[in-house]
Amino acid sequence: MKKQLIIWLISVMAVVNVYGQNEQFLVLEFIKVEPNKVLDYLEYKEFLEKVYEQEKNDGHISGWDFWSLQSGSDLEGENFQYLTVTYYEDPVSMMNGNNMNQLINSAVQAFPEMSAEQAKNKIASSLEMRDLAVRSYMLEVARTDDDFQYTPGILATFDLMKAVEGKFQEYETAEEQIFLPLHQKKISNDLMEDWRFLRTALPTGSEAKSTHLTMNIYRDYIQFFNSMEFEDMEMTDKEQEAMLEGLKSRDQKWVYLATLQSAVR
């Protein structure tokens, strides 16, 4: 397994070198918190935000989001309340993102009055507050051309997809050549702010629950509902036919509606 991971890292770094330094890697963590521990966890979230601000200042990450989940079909029947998204510039930093010593060092820098032992205990105690059932390592494959800034209060849908067996490349081509232009058109018509298409970054087998994810970002609920109403906005017959064909190459597994609570940029 270790050998396979090394080969994967080498191949991914080769892709980054070929396509330039604009590749972005993301780690998504779906979190479930017991009702009697929600307030404690939200207090810890404030601590964690400061830690990740330090992580960004030190160049370990390029960003961090904390989302509250409003609705959606649950992964494996879980009732997740929160989702964190951590952004990295390369796969090595992504794989080192959960290094406890690094987090402790960042916590001590962010809170000088805190000792390393206190920081370690605070981070460790957070593990008892929540159930981290799903962690996904993703590579950004495509995104719309926009300069939208993520700020607390914006909305998003996180759509988890699974490419139909044997149609992996066909599905990615459909997202990049059919759905990307459609979302770009929505942005031009003030019906969306940002769209990203992600692929699972770690090697997966045929039994993987999902292989891809799209992030659909909206300014507010008004824009979100207007976007839903104009789903087929100005689509030609040829575009509709291509879209329907593209839908056949993937299975939409789960969809979550979320509100951004905190963002480190």
Side-chain angles (χ1 to χ4, degrees):
M1 181 64 184
K2 185 176 181 180
K3 182 178 179 181
Q4 291 178 331
L5 185 57
I6 292 174
I7 294 174
W8 168 79
L9 284 170
I10 293 174
S11 64
V12 169
M13 290 303 294
V15 170
V16 172
N17 290 332
V18 169
Y19 292 101
Q21 301 302 314
N22 293 324
E23 296 285 347
Q24 190 166 65
F25 294 82
L26 300 82
V27 176
L28 288 83
E29 298 182 336
F30 289 86
I31 298 166
K32 178 181 179 181
V33 180
E34 294 301 323
N36 63 334
K37 296 180 180 179
V38 168
L39 291 179
D40 289 336
Y41 185 73
L42 291 178
E43 181 180 341
Y44 174 72
K45 185 265 293 185
E46 301 298 327
F47 163 82
L48 200 58
E49 183 177 355
K50 297 297 182 183
V51 172
Y52 278 114
E53 286 177 357
Q54 186 63 49
E55 287 273 282
K56 184 180 185 304
N57 292 338
D58 292 340
H60 299 313
I61 67 173
S62 56
W64 179 81
D65 298 337
F66 184 90
W67 299 83
S68 62
L69 303 176
Q70 269 74 56
S71 64
S73 300
D74 293 318
L75 302 177
E76 298 298 315
E78 298 285 353
N79 296 312
F80 296 108
Q81 300 113 309
Y82 306 106
L83 166 67
T84 63
V85 182
T86 310
Y87 302 80
Y88 300 90
E89 295 182 352
D90 62 80
V92 175
S93 296
M94 177 179 68
M95 299 309 297
N96 287 329
N98 289 306
N99 184 297
M100 178 62 80
N101 290 332
Q102 180 176 295
L103 286 175
I104 291 172
N105 183 60
S106 294
V108 171
Q109 292 184 67
F111 299 91
E113 74 283 359
M114 184 177 290
S115 68
E117 186 65 23
Q118 288 174 322
K120 179 180 179 181
N121 291 337
K122 191 172 186 66
I123 294 172
S125 65
S126 72
L127 302 178
E128 301 176 1
M129 301 179 196
R130 51 89 166 143
D131 175 19
L132 174 60
V134 177
R135 176 184 287 136
S136 298
Y137 296 85
M138 312 292 289
L139 166 65
E140 184 179 284
V141 178
R143 66 173 300 177
T144 49
D145 182 15
D146 62 79
D147 58 358
F148 183 69
Q149 301 297 311
Y150 284 33
T151 56
I154 65 172
L155 301 176
T157 61
F158 294 87
D159 302 2
L160 282 79
M161 317 288 191
K162 182 173 182 179
V164 173
E165 189 171 354
K167 294 188 176 184
F168 192 96
Q169 188 56 53
E170 182 179 333
Y171 168 58
E172 291 202 346
T173 299
E175 286 284 6
E176 294 185 65
Q177 295 185 5
I178 299 170
F179 295 106
L180 172 57
L182 290 175
H183 289 300
Q184 192 70 55
K185 186 183 294 185
K186 279 191 173 186
I187 291 175
S188 298
N189 286 271
D190 196 32
L191 295 173
M192 176 180 276
E193 298 294 345
D194 182 45
W195 177 86
R196 303 181 184 213
F197 176 51
L198 314 178
R199 173 202 304 147
T200 299
L202 289 177
T204 57
S206 60
E207 296 303 313
K209 300 299 182 182
S210 63
T211 58
H212 298 80
L213 179 145
T214 60
M215 295 173 58
N216 309 275
I217 310 299
Y218 305 92
R219 181 175 61 249
D220 50 33
Y221 275 111
I222 293 176
Q223 188 181 57
F224 170 72
F225 286 117
N226 285 340
S227 180
M228 298 302 102
E229 184 177 351
F230 292 93
E231 191 67 35
D232 299 327
M233 177 193 62
E234 299 178 4
M235 288 182 62
T236 65
D237 291 342
K238 186 176 181 180
E239 286 176 329
Q240 288 184 343
E241 182 180 346
M243 182 188 72
L244 292 175
E245 191 62 31
L247 292 176
K248 296 178 182 179
S249 62
R250 56 84 164 158
D251 176 19
Q252 188 175 42
K253 304 295 289 183
W254 307 283
V255 178
Y256 273 95
L257 174 62
T259 299
L260 184 62
Q261 300 295 325
S262 301
V264 173
R265 291 291 185 276

